[in-house]
């Protein structure tokens, strides 16, 4: 229905002791308005890490501001961290990530992004 999500990493290489930070753009090229909860982005997101999808363990909604994603609207550079609560165990090497959101029953999946985890510098 016209939803698009573009993902990118703040940088390509991360130390194993760091939490990788990603940014995504969310765009609506469709004809209807969707509700997006930026304060809940981590809880509403799914992360695909090396081919396996993971969800936030406690998808509890809290009272927070809703951003309308109207036709033609776009939110740029929304930050999301690769939080350990997704059950992702970072190991040295190259990894492929994607994220997905389901907004009002419509699932939008991002492009794949590669990162590299370094044991140390």
């Amino acid at each position: 229905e016209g939803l698009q999500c573009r993902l990118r990493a703040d940088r390509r290489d991360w130390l194993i002791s760091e939490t990788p930070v990603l940014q995504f753009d969310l765009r609506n090229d469709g004809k209807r308005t969707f509700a997006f909860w930026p304060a809940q982005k981590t809880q509403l997101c799914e992360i695909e890490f090396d081919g396996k999808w993971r969800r936030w363990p406690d998808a509890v909604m809290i009272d927070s501001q809703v951003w309308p994603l109207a036709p033609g609207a776009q939110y740029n550079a929304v930050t999301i961290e690769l939080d350990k609560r997704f059950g992702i165990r970072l190991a040295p090497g190259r990894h492929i990530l994607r994220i997905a959101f389901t907004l009002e029953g419509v699932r939008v999946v991002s492009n794949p992004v590669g990162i590299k985890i370094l044991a140390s510098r």
Side-chain angles (χ1 to χ4, degrees):
E1 290 198 41
L3 289 177
Q4 297 176 333
C5 183
R6 179 176 52 200
L7 182 66
R8 61 193 170 281
D10 276 4
R11 60 182 202 261
R12 185 168 170 79
D13 295 344
W14 298 86
L15 293 175
I16 198 163
S17 59
E18 297 176 305
T19 300
V21 177
L22 309 166
Q23 292 191 28
F24 66 91
D25 305 328
L26 194 57
R27 179 170 60 195
N28 183 358
D29 280 340
K31 296 182 179 181
R32 68 185 256 210
T33 299
F34 292 90
F36 176 64
W37 285 265
Q40 301 277 326
K41 64 185 179 262
T42 305
Q43 292 86 348
L44 295 173
C45 172
E46 296 174 70
I47 294 180
E48 182 186 35
F49 186 81
D50 291 340
K52 184 175 179 186
W53 286 100
R54 292 165 159 73
R55 288 182 130 330
W56 190 259
D58 303 317
V60 176
M61 295 296 289
I62 59 170
D63 189 20
S64 64
Q65 180 182 7
V66 176
W67 289 357
L69 187 57
Q74 180 169 327
Y75 296 119
N76 294 318
V78 182
T79 301
I80 192 163
E81 292 184 357
L82 197 59
D83 193 289
K84 290 178 177 31
R85 287 174 277 188
F86 279 104
I88 296 169
R89 295 209 179 5
L90 294 178
R94 297 179 193 278
H95 303 282
I96 303 293
L97 303 151
R98 289 191 303 169
I99 63 170
F101 289 97
T102 301
L103 303 178
E104 299 182 35
V106 178
R107 190 167 190 255
V108 59
V109 180
S110 77
N111 56 296
V113 169
I115 63 169
K116 184 177 180 183
I117 304 298
L118 306 171
S120 63
R121 286 200 191 247

